[in-house]
Amino acid sequence: MTSQGAGPPLNAFGKIDAERACQLFGNVRIEQFEQANEKLGEIQNGDNVAYKYVDFKDGADEIKLRVKALKNGGTFIIKLDQPWGPNAGELTIPGRENAEWEIVSAKIKKVEGIHSVWFTFQGKDKEMYDLDWFEFSH
């Protein structure tokens, strides 16, 4: 199973809905949170998700995320090709009480071509953050 189904790789430069993950490891779940929208929720320390495959074309060096920080926050780590693959970047999301959805961004190492993208979530056990979508840019 792949995130793009039978079509071409996902476009890194367009919004990729978080629920398009084709592999989820740990406690992370796909949950409905608006009338016609889903998110990754229940994220806990050590969870991983994968998107196969994403086309970065000539290169991307930034990621944007729509997240909702929860009580503990945590670190969002981007890996390429395997969950133990090279670290392309990371972003720490501070914990917040009564947080709203927000768009955050971070610089990453330049990524070119087609790769599977893995997100690893690190932080306190529970109540880290929810993820709606992400996209890359240059």
Side-chain angles (χ1 to χ4, degrees), residues 39-94:
K39 66 177 180 176
L40 291 184
E42 303 290 325
I43 296 169
Q44 294 185 13
N45 183 49
D47 290 354
N48 291 283
V49 297
Y51 299 86
K52 297 182 179 179
Y53 293 89
V54 177
D55 188 354
F56 292 90
K57 302 185 186 331
D58 292 334
D61 64 2
E62 183 176 27
I63 187 169
K64 282 189 223 177
L65 313 164
R66 183 172 187 245
V67 297
K68 183 176 184 180
L70 302 177
K71 183 173 97 175
N72 294 322
T75 301
F76 182 94
I77 301 168
I78 302 107
K79 304 268 189 174
L80 299 177
D81 303 319
Q82 300 292 337
W84 55 84
N87 187 340
E90 61 183 60
L91 175 62
T92 298
I93 300 164

